[in-house]
């Protein structure tokens, strides 16, 4: 395995090795759970993962997954939706049966009245009045029931709309980072994979990894020690700055990813600088004191889709370039490339593989 491929797969190998050593089945939901636990992006998840003990049963892992990674346990949501629909349909079928019975009774009254009116013999006034009265009362009663049926049908329609909206929202939230409202890693990986849907003609774009500098210090100042407030702060600023054609996602912890849809490296560099500026456009406020503790800076690595043959390789190149930015002091961008870039802005470097 060459250096480029190993960079892209090293994280995956570490997680896979840990799963093998702990005897955890190689299921996709288990992989993501172990990845999240090892990354430290969610300290509570990591704590509970360790608390399970050395021998981690699938049931214990799934219980933890339902709590922190519900998108891998869609059957729970589907089951709830199914129960909800079953109740609604049962209620509606009961009403239809009542309506059917009521219409049958109404039909009998109409039939009796018709026979009275169609009689060849003379009908006394009392019989005629009684038939008219019965028909009138039955008609009013049926009209009232029909109105009630329409009202219930409207309620059922509204309930069905609600179920549909819940399902659509559930599907949408599977790809949203709950802390920042940005796309999550699952969403970004799917987007990155589509770049090479046609390997012979990949989508022309630039992919960047970014991490908040000096994050350990920020976490130490955070009330909960997680740095969530600061990640949320930066995430919101990035969200406001991203253009409609581009994508910003939060991967985990203090790491983000950008996908700039352009074949022009200069345009990609301008887009990344715009996001860098946005991340530091407002001071970070201490969660307890309310005082400013400075502005966020980012270490960023970029790779063009043309330098890789697959999504995993592209991600690895961007991550390697980001690591170079971080090691060289942060607050800078490293472009994974073999060529020099005339006119690169201050804080830009070239990573030569």
């Amino acid at each position: 395995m060459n250096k480029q491929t190993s960079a892209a797969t090293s994280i995956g190998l570490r997680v896979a090795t840990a799963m093998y050593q702990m005897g955890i089945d190689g299921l996709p939901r288990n992989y993501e759970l172990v990845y999240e636990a090892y990354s430290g992006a969610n300290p509570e998840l990591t704590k509970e993962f360790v608390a399970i003990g050395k021998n981690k049963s699938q049931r214990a892992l799934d219980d933890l997954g339902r709590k922190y990674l519900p998108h891998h346990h869609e059957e729970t949501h589907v089951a709830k939706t199914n129960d909800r629909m079953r109740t609604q349909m049962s209620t509606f079928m009961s009403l239809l049966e009542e309506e059917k019975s009521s219409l049958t009774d109404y039909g009998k009254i109409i039939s009796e009245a018709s026979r009275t009116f169609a009689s060849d013999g003379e009908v006394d006034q009392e019989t005629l009045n009684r038939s008219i009265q019965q028909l009138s009362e039955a008609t009013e009663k049926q009209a009232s029931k029909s109105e009630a049926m329409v009202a219930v049908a409207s309620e059922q329609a509204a309930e069905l709309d609600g179920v549909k909206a819940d399902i659509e929202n559930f599907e949408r939230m599977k790809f949203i980072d709950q802390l920042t409202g940005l796309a999550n890693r699952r969403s970004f990986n799917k987007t990155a994979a589509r770049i090479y849907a046609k390997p012979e003609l990949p989508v022309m774009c630039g992919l960047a990894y970014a991490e908040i500098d000096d994050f350990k210090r920020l976490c130490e100042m955070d009330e909960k020690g997680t740095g969530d407030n600061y990640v949320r702060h930066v995430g919101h600023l990035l969200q406001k700055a991203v253009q409609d054609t581009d994508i910003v996602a939060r991967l985990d912890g203090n790491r983000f990813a950008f996908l700039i849809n352009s074949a022009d490296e200069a345009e990609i560099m301008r887009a990344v600088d715009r996001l860098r500026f946005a991340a530091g456009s407002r001071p970070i406020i201490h969660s307890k004191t309310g005082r400013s503790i400075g502005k966020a800076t980012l270490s960023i690595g970029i790779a063009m889709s043309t330098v890789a043959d697959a999504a995993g390789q592209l991600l690895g190149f961007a991550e390697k370039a980001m690591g170079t930015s971080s090691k060289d002091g942060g607050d800078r961008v490293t472009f994974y490339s073999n060529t020099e870039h005339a006119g690169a802005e201050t804080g830009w470097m070239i990573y030569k593989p």
Side-chain angles (χ1 to χ4, degrees):
M1 183 179 293
N2 58 38
K3 292 182 179 180
Q4 293 176 341
T5 304
S6 63
T9 59
S10 59
I11 296 177
L13 285 174
R14 289 200 297 271
V15 173
T17 300
M19 290 174 65
Y20 176 78
Q21 292 173 343
M22 290 185 285
I24 297 176
D25 289 340
L27 303 173
R29 65 179 186 271
N30 288 344
Y31 178 86
E32 185 162 359
L33 187 66
V34 176
Y35 184 99
E36 292 292 336
Y38 270 66
S39 72
N42 189 326
E44 292 300 318
L45 186 158
T46 303
K47 182 179 178 181
E48 292 188 37
F49 181 82
V50 173
I52 293 176
K54 185 176 181 180
N55 299 317
K56 305 181 191 301
S57 68
Q58 189 60 52
R59 181 175 180 178
L61 292 171
D62 284 344
D63 286 342
L64 193 60
R66 289 188 185 93
K67 182 176 181 180
Y68 291 102
L69 303 172
H71 56 267
H72 277 309
H73 300 271
E74 298 174 16
E75 65 275 8
T76 301
H77 179 79
V78 172
K80 288 180 179 178
T81 301
N82 189 51
D83 289 342
R84 185 176 171 187
M85 289 301 300
R86 188 185 297 117
T87 299
Q88 293 298 321
M89 291 301 99
S90 177
T91 300
F92 198 57
M93 289 303 295
S94 296
L95 288 168
L96 286 174
E97 287 297 326
E98 290 180 14
E99 180 72 3
K100 180 180 178 181
S101 177
S102 176
L103 286 171
T104 299
D105 293 341
Y106 185 50
K108 289 178 180 179
I109 293 173
I110 291 175
S111 181
E112 290 175 3
S114 295
R115 284 196 297 271
T116 298
F117 299 144
S119 176
D120 293 335
E122 187 176 345
V123 181
D124 62 85
Q125 186 67 36
E126 183 179 348
T127 300
L128 186 60
N129 288 340
R130 185 169 59 251
S131 294
I132 293 173
Q133 181 65 28
Q134 288 175 346
L135 184 59
S136 177
E137 290 177 355
T139 300
E140 289 181 5
K141 185 177 180 180
Q142 186 59 43
S144 177
K145 287 187 175 181
S146 295
E147 289 177 1
M149 186 68 184
V150 170
V152 172
S154 297
E155 291 177 3
Q156 293 291 322
E159 183 68 20
L160 289 174
D161 286 341
V163 171
K164 181 182 178 182
D166 286 347
I167 292 174
E168 290 174 350
N169 185 60
F170 179 78
E171 288 298 315
R172 184 179 63 84
M173 293 307 293
K174 289 193 303 185
F175 300 100
I176 298 296
D177 176 61
Q178 300 300 303
L179 182 63
T180 63
L182 297 170
N184 60 15
R185 177 159 50 84
R186 188 185 195 195
S187 174
F188 192 79
N189 286 345
K190 287 188 67 174
T191 301
R194 286 197 290 269
I195 296 172
Y196 298 95
K198 295 181 180 180
E200 71 285 359
L201 190 64
V203 176
M204 299 295 288
C205 63
L207 187 147
Y209 266 25
E211 64 180 13
I212 302 173
D213 295 323
D214 207 12
F215 192 63
K216 184 178 179 181
R217 179 181 66 87
L218 293 175
C219 287
E220 290 172 352
M221 291 190 291
D222 185 32
E223 188 176 356
K224 295 181 180 179
T226 61
D228 282 357
N229 288 332
Y230 311 128
V231 172
R232 186 185 298 110
H233 169 86
V234 173
H236 288 174
L237 293 176
L238 293 175
Q239 190 172 44
K240 291 179 180 179
V242 67
Q243 295 185 345
D244 292 339
T245 56
D246 302 329
I247 296 172
V248 174
R250 182 205 173 205
L251 301 180
D252 50 50
N254 64 325
R255 297 200 307 167
F256 298 86
F258 314 144
L259 193 135
I260 314 299
N261 285 290
S262 174
D264 185 350
E265 292 187 1
E267 183 178 346
I268 289 172
M269 295 167 81
R270 287 193 295 271
V272 169
D273 269 334
R274 184 179 65 252
L275 291 167
R276 285 177 69 198
F277 175 79
S281 61
R282 291 175 56 189
I284 298 174
I285 304 301
H286 193 283
S287 56
K288 267 192 172 182
T289 65
R291 295 180 179 177
S292 169
I293 54 175
K295 296 180 179 180
T297 61
L298 302 176
S299 291
I300 301 175
I302 306 176
M304 295 293 293
S305 57
T306 51
V307 303
D309 299 320
Q313 191 179 50
L314 181 65
L315 294 169
F317 291 164
E319 186 173 21
K320 180 177 285 188
M322 179 188 71
T324 299
S325 291
S326 180
K327 289 177 183 177
D328 286 348
D331 191 19
R332 63 193 64 205
V333 184
T334 300
F335 212 114
Y336 190 96
S337 176
N338 279 315
T339 59
E340 296 294 339
H341 294 261
E345 299 295 332
T346 303
W348 282 74
M349 302 182 297
I350 305 300
Y351 179 97
K352 293 186 177 182

